[in-house]
Amino acid sequence: MITRRAFNRAALAAFAAPLLARAQRSAADSPHRAIYMYKGADREARLAAGAKKEGQVVMYTSLNLKDSVPITEAFEKKTGIKVQLWRAGSEKVLQRAITEARAGRFSPDILETNGPEMEAMYREKLLEEFHSPHFTDLPAAAFPKHRHYVADRFNFFTIGYNTNLVKPEEVPDSYEDLVHPRWAGRVGIEGSDVDWFGAVVKSMGEEKGLAFFRKFAEARPQIRTGHTLMAELVASGEIPLAATLYNHNVERLTVKGAPVKWKAIQPTFGRPNAIGVARKAPHPHAAMLFVDFMLSKEGQTLLKERNRVPASLSVDTHLNKFPFHMIDPVITLDENDKWEKLWSELFLKGKKLEKEAD
C-alpha cells in the first residue's frame, strides 16, 4: 500500500517536473538575464571583471560613423574593451540581426537603431530586459512598456525656417497655421515621414486630422527626400519653411552661422533611437558595460557634442526642453500600409514611397 507521504512526494515530483523543464527552457532562452538585471552594490566591479575576460563587444548600429566612432573610442579608452562596430541603415540592421538569429548565429551583443526596428527585434525575441543605474536620468518616454530597450537619443519633428525669409510674427504656432494662404507652395515636408503623419492624425482625431492634411496637401507643399537635405534647403533659402525637420539637423546649421531656426509646435512627436542588449550575446558583461557608458552623463554628453539629442535629463540641452510624445511603433509595424497609402494619395500622387537613406 502506498503511504500518504509517498503519494504526496510522487505528486509533488510530477507537478515539479514540468516547472523545472519550463525553468530550464527559460534559462536557455534568456541565458544572461541574471547579468543584465543584477543590481547589487558590486555590479560595476562584476561587469568590469567579466568584460575584461570577454575582451570585446560587438554592436550593430545605424548611428553614422562620424558620431558613433568617437563614442566607441571613448569607451575603449576608458575600459580597455575593444568595440567591433557594424554600421548600416536601420532596416539593414534589423534584417541582419533577424537573419543571423534564425540561422542560429548570435554575433551582436548590442543593437542600437530606430525605435520601430528595435520593437521588431523585441517581437522576434532577440532582446532581453536589462537594468542600468542611469535609468533614473531618463524620461518616462524613453521606455517601452516591456523595457527590452531604452531610448538613448531622440529625433524630434519640428518646423524649421529661414530667418531671412520668414518674419518672427509669421512663424507658425500650430499645425493649423501651416495652411495659412501665405504658405501656399512655400512649405517643405520630407517625403517619407509617414509615421509622423499617422501620429499627428491620431492626435487630432482621425476625421479632423485627415481633413487638416487634405487642406495641407491642397497648399502644394514641396516634397524632398532626406531630413538633412531639407534642412540645407531651408538654410539656403530654396524653401522658406519646412514642417518636418529634425531639430538637431537645424541646430548643426545654426551653430555654423546659417540663417535658420527651429521651433517645436504642439503636439511635438519624436522617433526614439534606442539601445538594447542581445538575448544571446556572446559578450554579455561587456554589453552591459557599454550600455551603461552610452546612457551615462559622459556618453550622453558625447552625443550632445555631436549635436544629437541625448535622451538623458542629466545633460542640459535646449534640444529637448519642450513637451513631447514618442511615435507609437504600432503605426510603423502594424498600420503602415494604411498610413502609407493615405500619405501617397495626398502628397505623392499615388507613387511609391521613397524612403530616406539612414
Side-chain angles (χ1 to χ4, degrees), residues 10 31 46 63 66 73 84 122 125 140 153 163 170 181-182 192 201 211 213 230 286 294 302 307 311 326-327 333:
R46 280 194 180 197
L63 182 61
K66 68 180 181 180
E73 287 179 343
Q84 289 192 20
Y122 160 71
K125 302 187 184 303
R153 52 194 173 98
T163 55
E170 294 175 340
R182 74 163 62 96
S192 63
V201 169
F213 274 102
M230 182 68 75
M294 192 71 162
L302 289 170
N307 285 312
M326 289 294 100
I327 295 175
L333 297 180

Side-chain angles (χ1 to χ4, degrees), residues 11 19 47 73 114 147 149 187 238-239 243 278 287:
L19 290 179
L47 291 178
E73 287 179 343
N114 296 347
R147 300 175 76 91
Y149 57 83
V187 177
E238 183 171 333
I239 298 176

Side-chain angles (χ1 to χ4, degrees), residues 61-62 87-95 113-114 117 121 273 358:
T61 183
S62 59
R87 193 271 166 190
S90 57
E91 291 186 358
K92 290 184 178 179
V93 169
L94 171 63
Q95 183 181 31
T113 190
N114 296 347
E117 283 79 7
M121 286 188 277
N273 288 265
D358 290 286

Side-chain angles (χ1 to χ4, degrees), residues 156-167:
F156 287 120
F157 290 98
T158 64
I159 63 168
Y161 58 95
N162 186 296
T163 55
N164 292 334
L165 301 176
V166 180
K167 299 176 182 178

Side-chain angles (χ1 to χ4, degrees), residues 130-143:
F130 64 97
H131 165 76
S132 172
H134 303 294
F135 281 178
T136 56
D137 296 324
L138 298 174
F143 299 91

Side-chain angles (χ1 to χ4, degrees), residues 90-260:
S90 57
E91 291 186 358
K92 290 184 178 179
V93 169
L94 171 63
Q95 183 181 31
R96 178 170 178 172
I98 290 177
T99 299
E100 289 182 343
R102 289 178 177 176
R105 298 195 306 273
F106 301 98
S107 301
D109 301 297
I110 300 163
L111 295 149
E112 199 273 356
T113 190
N114 296 347
E117 283 79 7
M118 293 297 290
E119 181 67 20
M121 286 188 277
Y122 160 71
R123 295 183 183 188
E124 283 283 325
K125 302 187 184 303
L126 301 185
L127 304 174
E128 181 57 88
E129 185 179 4
F130 64 97
H131 165 76
S132 172
H134 303 294
F135 281 178
T136 56
D137 296 324
L138 298 174
F143 299 91
K145 290 181 180 179
H146 51 71
R147 300 175 76 91
H148 278 61
Y149 57 83
V150 61
D152 57 345
R153 52 194 173 98
F154 293 127
N155 288 337
F156 287 120
F157 290 98
T158 64
I159 63 168
Y161 58 95
N162 186 296
T163 55
N164 292 334
L165 301 176
V166 180
K167 299 176 182 178
E169 64 270 20
E170 294 175 340
V171 178
D173 291 319
S174 67
Y175 290 107
E176 286 75 12
D177 288 345
L178 295 171
V179 297
H180 189 285
R182 74 163 62 96
W183 297 119
R186 302 178 67 219
V187 177
I189 55 174
E190 204 283 328
S192 63
D193 286 334
V194 174
D195 54 347
W196 167 81
F197 164 62
V200 174
V201 169
K202 284 188 167 186
S203 73
M204 294 180 174
E206 191 160 325
E207 183 178 351
K208 181 181 177 182
L210 289 175
F212 162 75
F213 274 102
R214 290 188 186 100
K215 191 173 181 180
F216 185 40
E218 290 171 0
R220 308 181 312 280
Q222 299 188 45
I223 313 297
R224 298 290 190 278
T225 299
H227 293 92
T228 300
L229 171 63
M230 182 68 75
E232 291 169 348
L233 293 175
V234 171
S236 71
E238 183 171 333
I239 298 176
L241 182 146
T244 59
L245 290 184
Y246 293 155
N247 65 343
H248 68 266
N249 282 343
V250 178
E251 191 72 14
R252 283 178 170 174
L253 296 170
T254 302
V255 298
K256 293 179 180 179
V260 62

Side-chain angles (χ1 to χ4, degrees), residues 39-59:
K39 301 178 183 180
D42 61 342
R43 178 181 179 278
E44 187 174 352
R46 280 194 180 197
L47 291 178
K52 186 175 181 180
K53 292 179 181 178
E54 293 162 356
Q56 65 174 343
V57 63
V58 178
M59 179 167 70

